[in-house]
Amino acid sequence: MSEKLTIGKLASATGTKVETIRYYEQIGLLPAPARSTGNYRTYEGEHLRRLSFIRRARDLGFSIDQVRELMGLADRREQSCMAVDVIANQHRDAITRKIADLTALAGELDALIDSCSRNTVADCRIIEALGPSDPC
Amino acid sequence: MSEKLTIGKLASATGTKVETIRYYEQIGLLPAPARSTGNYRTYEGEHLRRLSFIRRARDLGFSIDQVRELMGLADRREQSCMAVDVIANQHRDAITRKIADLTALAGELDALIDSCSRNTVADCRIIEALGPSDPC
DNA sequence: CTTGACCCTCTAGCGACTAGAGGGTGCATA
DNA sequence: TATGCACCCTCTAGTCGCTAGAGGGTCAAG
């Protein structure tokens, strides 16, 4: 039940890099585990649970600060989960904006690329479009 | 014709921050200008032209390295602009991938948010979905 | 002559890791 | 017992593209 894990095992169990785990400990996202006689970190099931949570939230694009907040909320189990909903929705909105921005960008780039006649740089419409109105 | 510009004028003329211009000089993206007696940078029309090019390319999402490459290509005016086309298309592809990734993410988040019944954290499906299979 | 807007250099910080140097630990095998 | 190798440790610096701040100098107007 209470299996001990080395950092390497925890890393492969969660799909995280060893360095990233040490980084999470350093910034206080993952609690520091006990140490073995040889000064090796020894993780418990709880660490595995927390790190899995972190990984999934990060994979969904939540920032470290958002993850910290979500974990704080997850620990107050009797409270309303409205705050959780708020964070998720904020994140969803940010992604919506990013998609819109990138789509607009893609449109501009497409127009640029379509205009390229693949001749010399001197009459390349891409370079021209990037440069100032000066025809040089 | 050959108007001299202070860094502040160049900044407002191109919509760039003063610090950013100094940064571009530091990394060798914008050539170092002459200095006045009081050690002020004095920019010429050519600098304005180059910085405008940089700004537009950056606004289109090209990386600094890509901008460097594009500027190098723009200077070899007699050569084929195929290389320019390649860079633009690589960038376009990267954006396409980003949009696809974000769209998939948005779908996952939507499913998560829809499942929230707005009760207590203890039975919040968002927290549950983030956590491990352990029902705790 | 003083005020205030501008300029200078240098250094450190952001987010979220990643990479590397330089060294210690632990286990299996010869 | 020795040796090899995979793994672990700490500490520091690098990535990208800026941004912010400290601590100071310059210049033109009033």
Side-chain angles (χ1 to χ4, degrees), chain A residues 39-123:
Chain A
N39 201 30
Y40 283 19
R41 287 170 177 85
T42 53
Y43 293 98
E44 320 267 345
E46 177 62 19
H47 291 104
L48 181 60
R49 238 165 285 135
R50 292 227 155 216
L51 185 53
S52 302
F53 186 101
I54 295 169
R55 287 301 318 154
R56 295 202 211 183
R58 293 285 304 128
D59 283 349
L60 285 170
F62 287 97
S63 72
I64 296 273
D65 269 357
Q66 284 175 324
V67 175
R68 225 187 282 268
E69 243 184 302
L70 285 173
M71 289 209 308
L73 292 167
D75 287 344
R76 307 149 152 265
R77 300 182 56 75
E78 75 293 343
Q79 294 215 336
S80 160
C81 77
M82 238 165 68
V84 175
D85 200 52
V86 166
I87 295 177
N89 272 289
Q90 278 172 356
H91 183 41
R92 176 58 170 101
D93 290 348
I95 289 175
T96 303
R97 277 193 301 276
K98 257 183 215 164
I99 291 175
D101 287 353
L102 283 176
T103 304
L105 212 57
E108 284 193 68
L109 268 177
D110 283 344
L112 216 59
I113 290 167
D114 284 350
S115 74
C116 180
S117 52
R118 267 144 282 240
N119 291 330
T120 64
V121 168
D123 49 25

Side-chain angles (χ1 to χ4, degrees), chain B residues 8 10-18 20-21 24 51 55:
Chain B
L10 183 63
S12 56
T14 56
T16 317
K17 291 198 176 184
V18 166
T20 305
I21 296 177
Y24 285 163
L51 184 54
R55 287 300 319 153

Side-chain angles (χ1 to χ4, degrees), chain B residues 47-98:
Chain B
H47 291 105
L48 181 60
R49 239 165 284 136
R50 292 225 155 217
L51 184 54
S52 302
F53 186 101
I54 294 168
R55 287 300 319 153
R56 295 201 211 185
R58 292 287 303 130
D59 283 348
L60 284 169
F62 287 97
S63 72
I64 295 272
D65 269 358
Q66 284 175 323
V67 174
R68 225 187 281 269
E69 243 185 302
L70 285 173
M71 290 208 307
L73 292 167
D75 287 343
R76 308 148 153 264
R77 301 182 57 74
E78 74 293 344
Q79 294 213 340
S80 160
C81 77
M82 238 166 67
V84 175
D85 200 52
V86 166
I87 295 175
N89 271 289
Q90 279 172 354
H91 182 41
R92 176 59 170 101
D93 290 348
I95 289 175
T96 302
R97 277 193 301 277
K98 257 183 214 162

